[in-house]
Amino acid sequence: MAEQPGKGGILYIVATPIGNMEDISARALRVLAGVDVIAAEDTRVSRKLADRYHIQTPMIAYHDHNEQRKAPQLVDKLVHDEDIALISDAGTPLISDAGYRLVRLAQQRGIRVTAVPGPCAAITALSMAGLPTDRFVFEGFLPAKAASRRRRLADLKDESRTLVFYESVHRILATLRDMAAIFDGQREAAIAREITKQFETVKRDSLAGLLAWLQDHPRQQRGEFVILVHGRTQAAPAAEELERVLSLLQAALPLKQAVELTAQITGAARNEVYRLALEDSGD
Ligand code: SAM
């Protein structure tokens, strides 16, 4: 292929659609048609995509259950100058999908690994949810067992970044119920369901509101989901409390020290306390 450097083949990590079959890049199609082998999570699923774009490249199954056995075999092919494209059933390989072992093994053997980026449900959901995106944490799937799931949620309770989870149809209600109980039902969250598909739905509400809405709309409980939860926000100290602490400290300390200590005690922003102190002194 045109992108071939020196020795050995190239391992391409190729993103494929997460619903709408048109969401595949020109480069992805060229790479899939040009490599020697496509390593696919489920060859029956990927064959549909290949057929649609008249791609006849041979496919090998590569998934969570045969990864340990298959990774060395694929790397042998790469060492013998074959190019391989890794794809999953949907979206970006390695993101809650197999591939980690193959990428590391290939890199250890000096094989060039490159990516053909494209759809990813987590990133697409973030772009539509209307929750803060400047800092976020991808948590993937929560544990299936209720006790472990609740423990994980309790660990994440104080996280201030937007939380992004994948969830299956089987556990969507149980997970939302646990989130509402552990994070607080009033915490803002969003569900992105069936992204890029016919019944795509994006809904933002409190966790309690989302749970009630899903319970009232059984049809919305079907399909694939990304759950996004607003990070914990530091509650602003009540105005009276701020004033009380500030006036006590101002009576005993110079202005600068009183402001500094008030900010530390109440968690309020220094400039806000300073502004309040100046306002008070102007009374
Ligand atoms: N590698 C994929 C990616 O890049 O998003 C994720 C694979 S993971 C095995 C499958 C999970 O991704 C689903 O259970 C769901 O949580 C999420 N997902 C995938 N496609 C989706 C879609 N079209 N709408 C909503 N969630 C989706």
Side-chain angles (χ1 to χ4, degrees):
M1 293 186 71
E3 292 170 66
Q4 179 88 31
K7 266 177 74 191
I10 299 180
L11 174 61
Y12 295 89
I13 309 302
V14 182
T16 56
I18 55 171
N20 189 319
M21 295 277 253
E22 291 177 11
D23 293 334
I24 185 146
S25 73
R27 181 167 169 237
L29 292 176
R30 178 172 59 76
V31 166
L32 292 177
V35 292
D36 298 290
V37 177
I38 297 174
E41 183 181 357
D42 182 337
T43 54
R44 287 161 307 178
V45 171
S46 296
R47 187 49 68 200
K48 288 186 196 143
L49 179 74
D51 286 349
R52 172 160 178 158
Y53 290 104
H54 312 293
I55 290 166
Q56 285 162 357
T57 310
M59 287 189 190
I60 293 179
Y62 180 83
H63 43 69
D64 284 333
H65 307 292
N66 70 3
E67 197 170 10
Q68 196 146 2
R69 184 167 52 84
K70 276 288 165 71
Q73 295 173 9
L74 291 173
V75 171
D76 269 352
K77 287 181 180 293
L78 288 158
V79 167
H80 290 99
D81 292 342
E82 288 190 46
D83 288 333
I84 298 179
L86 174 69
I87 61 177
S88 58
D89 286 354
T92 302
L94 280 84
I95 307 301
S96 294
D97 269 329
Y100 167 75
R101 208 179 285 268
L102 177 60
V103 167
R104 284 185 64 101
L105 204 57
Q107 285 167 338
Q108 279 163 11
R109 299 286 297 270
I111 297 297
R112 183 176 161 213
V113 179
T114 188
V116 182
C120 172
I123 299 296
T124 314
L126 270 165
S127 72
M128 298 190 288
L131 290 172
T133 53
D134 50 342
R135 295 167 73 230
F136 60 86
V137 203
F138 176 63
E139 278 290 322
F141 289 99
L142 285 163
K145 294 217 172 90
S148 318
R149 182 172 63 232
R150 289 174 194 152
R151 254 198 313 277
R152 175 79 54 83
L153 290 173
D155 286 346
L156 293 167
K157 190 172 184 260
D158 292 329
E159 173 58 61
S160 62
R161 295 167 288 184
T162 296
L163 294 151
V164 184
F165 302 90
Y166 282 166
E167 196 46 280
S168 83
V169 65
H170 313 292
R171 284 186 286 272
I172 183 72
L173 279 180
T175 294
L176 273 178
R177 212 172 278 129
D178 287 347
M179 285 177 170
I182 293 166
F183 289 155
D184 166 15
Q186 291 319 302
R187 176 103 64 111
E188 197 181 21
I191 290 176
R193 171 183 164 263
E194 295 289 272
I195 302 169
T196 75
K197 301 186 201 174
Q198 188 181 1
F199 297 108
E200 176 181 282
T201 315
V202 180
K203 182 143 179 87
R204 195 176 71 250
D205 198 343
S206 63
L207 280 165
L210 286 175
L211 180 60
W213 172 75
L214 267 192
Q215 281 168 332
D216 289 349
H217 298 85
R219 276 171 188 270
Q220 296 286 348
Q221 295 170 20
R222 299 184 198 151
E224 297 192 283
F225 298 87
V226 181
I227 306 175
L228 307 100
V229 182
H230 199 299
R232 182 174 168 219
T233 40
Q234 190 87 35
E240 305 96 74
E241 174 67 358
L242 197 63
E243 291 212 25
R244 193 180 68 80
V245 175
L246 179 63
S247 68
L248 279 173
L249 292 175
Q250 259 188 300
L253 295 168
L255 177 74
K256 204 167 161 223
Q257 253 182 299
V259 167
E260 192 62 55
L261 277 175
T262 305
Q264 279 180 27
I265 291 166
T266 62
R270 248 181 105 260
N271 55 358
E272 195 204 333
V273 182
Y274 195 66
R275 188 183 49 73
L276 194 67
L278 291 181
E279 268 174 25
D280 285 353
S281 63
D283 280 349

